[in-house]
Amino acid sequence: MAEEKSFYMTEEGKAKLEQELDELKTVRRPEVVERIKVARSFGDLSENSEYDAAKDEQAFVEARVAQVENMIRNAVIIENDDENSDVVQLGKSVKFIELPDGDEEEYQIVGSAESDPFEGRISNDSPMAQSLLGKKIGDQVTVQTPGGEIDVKIVEVF
């Protein structure tokens, strides 16, 4: 059997997944079962779009339950290393300026399971995070992005 993938996440990220799993099992799953039961009562299942839709939703819910359970089972909690407070690491936030225009950006580097770029949380697997990890305050870094190279200077790690 292949080795299972580890999912790096914060304690907060794991708690959100546990909450989602509880919601899926205690709310969504019973709702879908009820929809299937009601749709069955409509008669002929071969031409019953409500039944088909409910079965599709059941498949989605069950797949998501399995996915979230796997992520929780293989969770690796990110511990902050206070000794290297000026080094960009998984779980820390980093503020940098783009060179030469000086646009400032700030991201927290998290595992892929809880990344959300719109909320300022980027995956440790992303090109940006890969370029920043292990660097220190004051370092200039060239980041390969889908849109081309950008140069950034790290100004704060917290």
Side-chain angles (χ1 to χ4, degrees):
M1 187 168 122
E3 188 174 318
E4 301 235 20
K5 177 183 178 191
S6 295
F7 293 93
Y8 295 94
M9 62 186 73
T10 61
E11 195 66 56
E12 171 189 342
K14 185 177 180 187
K16 283 183 180 179
L17 282 176
E18 289 168 341
Q19 183 178 5
E20 178 185 354
L21 183 61
D22 184 58
E23 165 90 7
L24 287 167
K25 287 181 169 183
T26 62
V27 177
R28 294 280 308 274
R29 187 182 270 168
E31 286 175 352
V32 172
V33 168
E34 184 60 30
R35 284 185 55 207
I36 290 171
K37 190 163 51 170
V38 168
R40 272 195 186 132
S41 71
F42 295 151
D44 185 9
L45 299 182
S46 65
E47 296 179 17
N48 188 329
S49 63
E50 288 89 356
Y51 179 78
D52 291 340
K55 290 298 281 183
D56 288 346
E57 186 177 354
Q58 181 184 38
F60 171 79
V61 168
E62 294 306 321
R64 184 62 184 159
V65 165
Q67 181 183 35
V68 172
E69 284 176 337
N70 183 50
M71 291 165 68
I72 291 170
R73 183 175 46 255
N74 295 298
V76 176
I77 302 301
I78 300 166
E79 301 287 338
N80 278 329
D81 179 3
D82 294 329
E83 289 181 25
N84 294 315
S85 60
D86 63 341
V87 176
V88 179
Q89 298 174 13
L90 194 57
K92 289 192 174 183
S93 294
V94 59
K95 186 183 292 186
F96 58 85
I97 54 172
E98 290 185 27
L99 302 174
D101 58 5
D103 289 344
E104 191 173 87
E105 294 188 42
E106 178 180 310
Y107 295 103
Q108 181 182 20
I109 300 176
V110 296
S112 60
E114 60 181 318
S115 67
D116 183 352
F118 298 109
E119 294 292 323
R121 299 164 71 91
I122 60 172
S123 167
N124 61 311
D125 295 327
S126 70
M128 177 67 72
Q130 287 292 305
S131 298
L132 295 172
L133 286 167
K135 303 298 188 283
K136 296 180 179 180
I137 295 172
D139 286 354
Q140 283 190 233
V141 181
T142 300
V143 180
Q144 299 288 339
T145 69
E149 289 185 351
I150 61 169
D151 292 319
V152 300
K153 181 177 181 180
I154 300 170
V155 294
E156 187 177 357
V157 177
F158 52 101

